[in-house]
Amino acid sequence: MAETSIPVRTCVGCRERAPVTDLLRVVLRAGALVPDPRRRHPGRGASLHPTPECLRAAERRRAFPRALRLPGGGGAAVEAGPLRAHVLGAAASEDGRSRTGERTRTTDRSPTDGPAPGRSARREQDVVG
């Protein structure tokens, strides 16, 4: 059985190449940068590691207007509010803390609970068998 290769993209923040499964796709909707975790929105997208460090680096370098090929290049202003909320919310949940600073309770998942978080049942099937 032939193995399928996973596409590789470059993070606009740190400029490191990574599989698309490790990166968050970002698109422009109504002048705002919007996260597209399911990779379904139409149009040109930019890839970003979903970490605050990469987001800050991309904003500092004005990488989003260039990556999305907006008129005006790096000088065009875009609103990063929805993207910032998504990335910072994900970073807070990865730390095991809620937004109020409390520890969140984690439970062990058994293999019969369904696919792992963030994976579709089909993707889980492809990985397992």
Side-chain angles (χ1 to χ4, degrees):
M1 181 179 244
E3 288 189 34
T4 59
S5 62
I6 298 175
V8 176
R9 301 285 184 267
T10 301
C11 173
V12 295
C14 65
R15 304 292 298 156
E16 290 183 12
R17 292 173 52 92
V20 293
T21 54
D22 294 346
L23 298 171
L24 175 66
R25 183 172 186 258
V26 178
V27 296
L28 190 68
R29 292 282 165 247
L33 295 171
V34 178
D36 184 16
R38 292 181 22 188
R39 308 182 76 79
R40 298 287 186 255
H41 290 296
R44 187 166 187 86
S47 297
L48 176 79
H49 283 110
T51 62
E53 296 82 21
C54 284
L55 177 59
R56 278 192 289 272
E59 289 177 320
R60 186 181 67 244
R61 295 174 53 246
R62 298 183 196 119
F64 288 112
R66 280 194 310 271
L68 297 171
R69 295 187 181 170
L70 298 180
V78 292
E79 171 61 38
L83 175 62
R84 191 176 294 116
H86 179 83
V87 169
L88 296 179
S93 66
E94 285 178 5
D95 290 342
R97 296 187 180 274
S98 67
R99 290 182 184 228
T100 59
E102 304 173 347
R103 281 254 178 226
T104 56
R105 185 176 178 168
T106 59
T107 58
D108 290 311
R109 293 177 53 95
S110 67
T112 59
D113 287 344
R119 299 197 136 200
S120 67
R122 181 179 172 135
R123 177 70 51 111
E124 187 73 16
Q125 178 186 12
D126 292 345
V127 171
V128 174

